[in-house]
Amino acid sequence: MTLRSKSGLLALALLLAMTTVEAKTFRMALGDAQGGTQWELGTKFAELFNAKTGGKHKIRLYANGQLGSEQDTVNDAAIGTLDFSVLAINNITPFSPSVGVLTLPYVIQSLDDAVKLTRGEVGKELVENTIRDAGVRIVGWAYSGFRVLTNSKRPVKTLDDLQGMVIRVPKNEIMIATYQAWGVNPTPMAWAETFAALQQGVVDGQDNPYITNHAMKFYEVQKYITNIRYIFSLEPLIISEAVFQDQKTEVQKAILEAGQEATLHSVAYINATEASIKQDLAAKGMEISDPANDENEWIEKATTAVWPKYYDSIGGKAKLDQVLKLLGR
Ligand code: MLT
């Protein structure tokens, strides 16, 4: 073999070795079980990202809190030991309080509101804030629907009906304060522990969207649903900022583009599935009711007691006013 063909072979071997070494399987944590909005966003993102990197990079999903509670995954991503996570926005708020503007009760009143806020100026600012405060970058959003109250005890229509119940809430101050405004002291608990706590009767109820309640099979341990619709559940897809910065420009571009496209897919998914999932929960024996008197007492108590408490943490009252104005209110 000539020297030239030898060096040609060597160059080819080196190139192959580089290609092999560079191909990566990223890990993505999901708090929910397979089959809900988190799973839908995650699988769509993985498919798009794989295609955009020419099949080189893959993403492996770990559903059902296998990689830790949702709040733990923020810590792990911040230090770069986890690549991606899809989690409820309320589980990011403790790390980046300005995100709380999206969890204030009754601010978001429709899917359109949710899309407008996350995909517009407000969303862009929150992306910057979470990078700064929490070391994670939001690259996509799952739209999971309004959080509704479930419980195993009795139909709840009024605040009187709610009294005495033990309700699990995420470890999120705004949600805790909302239940306190409604006259009950809720039990803050990690998402990963919630099913067992409902099953064992440690807590009587919790709130999450129809799609999440369905994916988590809560109909096996809960009987009643009340459409309190106080928070629209937004579930961002985050990537560790350290991992993001480690990627080549074309991989970063693939991540951002796949995130945008998977977000649009999430809008289509909720529109196509939420109504039939609600029907299926009823078919599985859940009794669904609306709050009495157009929710007035629920809305009034929550907004007057909770909003002012959190003006400082969300960036001032002006921030909430800006959001409400954007939403035409
Ligand atoms: C929670 O209640 O902690 C979250 O909404 C769970 C989720 O991510 O679906």
PDB file of all heavy atoms in Angstrom, residues 110-122:
ATOM      1  N   SER A 110     -58.007  30.952  28.230  1.00  0.00           N
ATOM      2  CA  SER A 110     -58.290  30.104  27.064  1.00  0.00           C
ATOM      3  C   SER A 110     -56.970  29.573  26.505  1.00  0.00           C
ATOM      4  O   SER A 110     -55.891  30.090  26.843  1.00  0.00           O
ATOM      5  CB  SER A 110     -58.986  30.918  25.969  1.00  0.00           C
ATOM      6  OG  SER A 110     -58.090  31.916  25.497  1.00  0.00           O
ATOM      7  N   LEU A 111     -57.077  28.590  25.619  1.00  0.00           N
ATOM      8  CA  LEU A 111     -55.881  28.077  24.938  1.00  0.00           C
ATOM      9  C   LEU A 111     -55.229  29.200  24.125  1.00  0.00           C
ATOM     10  O   LEU A 111     -54.008  29.330  24.091  1.00  0.00           O
ATOM     11  CB  LEU A 111     -56.272  26.893  24.033  1.00  0.00           C
ATOM     12  CG  LEU A 111     -55.187  26.339  23.114  1.00  0.00           C
ATOM     13  CD1 LEU A 111     -53.998  25.788  23.900  1.00  0.00           C
ATOM     14  CD2 LEU A 111     -55.751  25.237  22.215  1.00  0.00           C
ATOM     15  N   ASP A 112     -56.072  30.042  23.507  1.00  0.00           N
ATOM     16  CA  ASP A 112     -55.528  31.169  22.732  1.00  0.00           C
ATOM     17  C   ASP A 112     -54.670  32.086  23.600  1.00  0.00           C
ATOM     18  O   ASP A 112     -53.601  32.529  23.191  1.00  0.00           O
ATOM     19  CB  ASP A 112     -56.667  32.018  22.141  1.00  0.00           C
ATOM     20  CG  ASP A 112     -57.183  31.405  20.863  1.00  0.00           C
ATOM     21  OD1 ASP A 112     -56.610  30.385  20.435  1.00  0.00           O
ATOM     22  OD2 ASP A 112     -58.174  31.931  20.317  1.00  0.00           O
ATOM     23  N   ASP A 113     -55.175  32.378  24.813  1.00  0.00           N
ATOM     24  CA  ASP A 113     -54.392  33.205  25.751  1.00  0.00           C
ATOM     25  C   ASP A 113     -53.044  32.547  26.016  1.00  0.00           C
ATOM     26  O   ASP A 113     -51.998  33.206  26.022  1.00  0.00           O
ATOM     27  CB  ASP A 113     -55.094  33.321  27.116  1.00  0.00           C
ATOM     28  CG  ASP A 113     -56.271  34.290  27.106  1.00  0.00           C
ATOM     29  OD1 ASP A 113     -56.539  34.891  26.055  1.00  0.00           O
ATOM     30  OD2 ASP A 113     -56.926  34.424  28.167  1.00  0.00           O
ATOM     31  N   ALA A 114     -53.088  31.233  26.248  1.00  0.00           N
ATOM     32  CA  ALA A 114     -51.860  30.506  26.608  1.00  0.00           C
ATOM     33  C   ALA A 114     -50.852  30.570  25.459  1.00  0.00           C
ATOM     34  O   ALA A 114     -49.663  30.810  25.674  1.00  0.00           O
ATOM     35  CB  ALA A 114     -52.195  29.052  26.938  1.00  0.00           C
ATOM     36  N   VAL A 115     -51.347  30.392  24.241  1.00  0.00           N
ATOM     37  CA  VAL A 115     -50.448  30.401  23.078  1.00  0.00           C
ATOM     38  C   VAL A 115     -49.885  31.807  22.874  1.00  0.00           C
ATOM     39  O   VAL A 115     -48.689  31.994  22.636  1.00  0.00           O
ATOM     40  CB  VAL A 115     -51.197  29.896  21.819  1.00  0.00           C
ATOM     41  CG1 VAL A 115     -50.339  30.049  20.573  1.00  0.00           C
ATOM     42  CG2 VAL A 115     -51.613  28.432  22.002  1.00  0.00           C
ATOM     43  N   LYS A 116     -50.779  32.802  23.001  1.00  0.00           N
ATOM     44  CA  LYS A 116     -50.350  34.190  22.801  1.00  0.00           C
ATOM     45  C   LYS A 116     -49.221  34.549  23.776  1.00  0.00           C
ATOM     46  O   LYS A 116     -48.216  35.148  23.398  1.00  0.00           O
ATOM     47  CB  LYS A 116     -51.559  35.111  23.043  1.00  0.00           C
ATOM     48  CG  LYS A 116     -51.450  36.431  22.321  1.00  0.00           C
ATOM     49  CD  LYS A 116     -52.637  37.306  22.611  1.00  0.00           C
ATOM     50  CE  LYS A 116     -53.793  37.083  21.655  1.00  0.00           C
ATOM     51  NZ  LYS A 116     -54.983  37.862  22.021  1.00  0.00           N
ATOM     52  N   LEU A 117     -49.388  34.171  25.032  1.00  0.00           N
ATOM     53  CA  LEU A 117     -48.381  34.549  26.032  1.00  0.00           C
ATOM     54  C   LEU A 117     -47.066  33.797  25.844  1.00  0.00           C
ATOM     55  O   LEU A 117     -45.995  34.394  25.901  1.00  0.00           O
ATOM     56  CB  LEU A 117     -48.902  34.281  27.447  1.00  0.00           C
ATOM     57  CG  LEU A 117     -50.009  35.215  27.920  1.00  0.00           C
ATOM     58  CD1 LEU A 117     -50.415  34.870  29.339  1.00  0.00           C
ATOM     59  CD2 LEU A 117     -49.560  36.682  27.862  1.00  0.00           C
ATOM     60  N   THR A 118     -47.140  32.499  25.596  1.00  0.00           N
ATOM     61  CA  THR A 118     -45.903  31.726  25.526  1.00  0.00           C
ATOM     62  C   THR A 118     -45.123  31.990  24.253  1.00  0.00           C
ATOM     63  O   THR A 118     -43.898  31.954  24.246  1.00  0.00           O
ATOM     64  CB  THR A 118     -46.201  30.209  25.641  1.00  0.00           C
ATOM     65  OG1 THR A 118     -47.254  29.892  24.735  1.00  0.00           O
ATOM     66  CG2 THR A 118     -46.588  29.827  27.038  1.00  0.00           C
ATOM     67  N   ARG A 119     -45.834  32.275  23.154  1.00  0.00           N
ATOM     68  CA  ARG A 119     -45.131  32.438  21.872  1.00  0.00           C
ATOM     69  C   ARG A 119     -44.806  33.896  21.552  1.00  0.00           C
ATOM     70  O   ARG A 119     -44.142  34.185  20.567  1.00  0.00           O
ATOM     71  CB  ARG A 119     -45.940  31.801  20.733  1.00  0.00           C
ATOM     72  CG  ARG A 119     -45.956  30.276  20.880  1.00  0.00           C
ATOM     73  CD  ARG A 119     -46.729  29.569  19.805  1.00  0.00           C
ATOM     74  NE  ARG A 119     -46.274  29.817  18.448  1.00  0.00           N
ATOM     75  CZ  ARG A 119     -45.199  29.256  17.872  1.00  0.00           C
ATOM     76  NH1 ARG A 119     -44.463  28.425  18.564  1.00  0.00           N
ATOM     77  NH2 ARG A 119     -44.883  29.524  16.629  1.00  0.00           N
ATOM     78  N   GLY A 120     -45.259  34.815  22.421  1.00  0.00           N
ATOM     79  CA  GLY A 120     -45.017  36.241  22.157  1.00  0.00           C
ATOM     80  C   GLY A 120     -43.898  36.802  23.034  1.00  0.00           C
ATOM     81  O   GLY A 120     -43.056  36.066  23.557  1.00  0.00           O
ATOM     82  N   GLU A 121     -43.938  38.135  23.206  1.00  0.00           N
ATOM     83  CA  GLU A 121     -42.889  38.846  23.952  1.00  0.00           C
ATOM     84  C   GLU A 121     -42.737  38.325  25.382  1.00  0.00           C
ATOM     85  O   GLU A 121     -41.632  38.175  25.899  1.00  0.00           O
ATOM     86  CB  GLU A 121     -43.213  40.348  24.001  1.00  0.00           C
ATOM     87  CG  GLU A 121     -42.854  41.088  22.719  1.00  0.00           C
ATOM     88  CD  GLU A 121     -41.446  40.743  22.228  1.00  0.00           C
ATOM     89  OE1 GLU A 121     -40.504  40.868  23.024  1.00  0.00           O
ATOM     90  OE2 GLU A 121     -41.308  40.315  21.062  1.00  0.00           O
ATOM     91  N   VAL A 122     -43.884  38.062  26.035  1.00  0.00           N
ATOM     92  CA  VAL A 122     -43.838  37.606  27.433  1.00  0.00           C
ATOM     93  C   VAL A 122     -43.059  36.289  27.506  1.00  0.00           C
ATOM     94  O   VAL A 122     -42.175  36.110  28.359  1.00  0.00           O
ATOM     95  CB  VAL A 122     -45.272  37.429  27.993  1.00  0.00           C
ATOM     96  CG1 VAL A 122     -45.262  36.783  29.369  1.00  0.00           C
ATOM     97  CG2 VAL A 122     -45.982  38.775  28.037  1.00  0.00           C
TER      98      VAL A 122
END
